[in-house]
Amino acid sequence: MHIYQRIKDFGKKVLLVSGLVTVVNGCNDCQKGIGQIVNDFNNDGKSDIVNVSYDGAAEPRTKGYTVSFDSYISLGQEDGTFTPQKKAFHFELKPENLQVGDVNGDGNKDLLFIAYDSDAEPRTKGYVASFDQYAALGNGDGTFQNPKKILHYNTKPDY
């Protein structure tokens, strides 16, 4: 057997093993951009924590995805502790680039994020994807409205 064929066969085995490791350990890319934001979401002067979590055991969604993304909030207390996490809202798509802002000027903190939809209709150059900016408007009491699309990007935004 030639050395080239041995290298080629070895490469195939490495790809197979690495693919199995990814399946067993979960999708690391799915957790990219998932995180935590600290800010005062109920306007009481104390920091609150919003966590975005990834659930790999959720019911199947489109095109074989079996993940779910949800946000949870823990409100800051006078003694520096936090309330138990309470679900704030569900993300329909994988959130990335989480930020805080006041989108509608009402004085309440809103959560902003980019969502990537790999199931979108085909676009230019054969890509099948969509990138959209969403906002979950804050109610000023530590709760949020369901996220709504506020901006569409023709290409992947640079963030």
Side-chain angles (χ1 to χ4, degrees):
M1 184 181 282
H2 291 86
I3 188 74
Y4 173 75
Q5 186 61 42
R6 287 184 183 172
I7 292 171
K8 187 176 174 184
D9 291 344
F10 177 75
K12 287 179 185 177
K13 289 178 186 174
V14 168
L15 285 174
L16 176 63
V17 171
S18 66
L20 289 174
V21 169
T22 300
V23 169
V24 171
N25 288 329
C27 175
N28 288 334
D29 184 51
C30 291
Q31 296 184 38
K32 180 181 177 188
I34 307 291
Q36 186 177 81
I37 293 182
V38 177
N39 211 305
D40 181 10
F41 293 102
N42 63 348
N43 298 319
D44 66 355
K46 292 181 275 317
S47 292
D48 307 311
I49 301 173
V50 171
N51 288 300
V52 178
S53 69
Y54 155 81
D55 178 8
E59 289 298 313
R61 290 176 28 218
T62 59
K63 297 211 177 184
Y65 291 115
T66 56
V67 296
S68 177
F69 302 98
D70 294 306
S71 65
Y72 296 87
I73 188 164
S74 297
L75 300 176
Q77 303 296 296
E78 289 290 332
D79 62 359
T81 61
F82 294 88
T83 61
Q85 288 188 7
K86 179 181 170 187
K87 187 172 178 178
F89 56 86
H90 174 76
F91 295 95
E92 289 298 320
L93 300 167
K94 178 185 169 192
E96 295 183 7
N97 194 31
L98 294 163
Q99 297 182 19
V100 176
D102 183 4
V103 176
N104 57 356
D106 64 357
N108 297 324
K109 304 286 180 12
D110 308 316
L111 284 175
L112 300 138
F113 61 94
I114 304 288
Y116 166 76
D117 184 0
S118 63
D119 294 336
E121 290 298 315
R123 292 179 17 235
T124 61
K125 298 185 182 176
Y127 293 113
V128 181
S130 177
F131 297 93
D132 297 306
Q133 177 83 49
Y134 285 81
L137 300 178
N139 296 319
D141 60 359
T143 63
F144 298 89
Q145 298 173 28
N146 287 328
K148 293 186 179 164
K149 186 189 318 185
I150 59 172
L151 183 63
H152 174 74
Y153 297 97
N154 290 326
T155 60
K156 182 176 181 180
D158 186 23
Y159 49 83

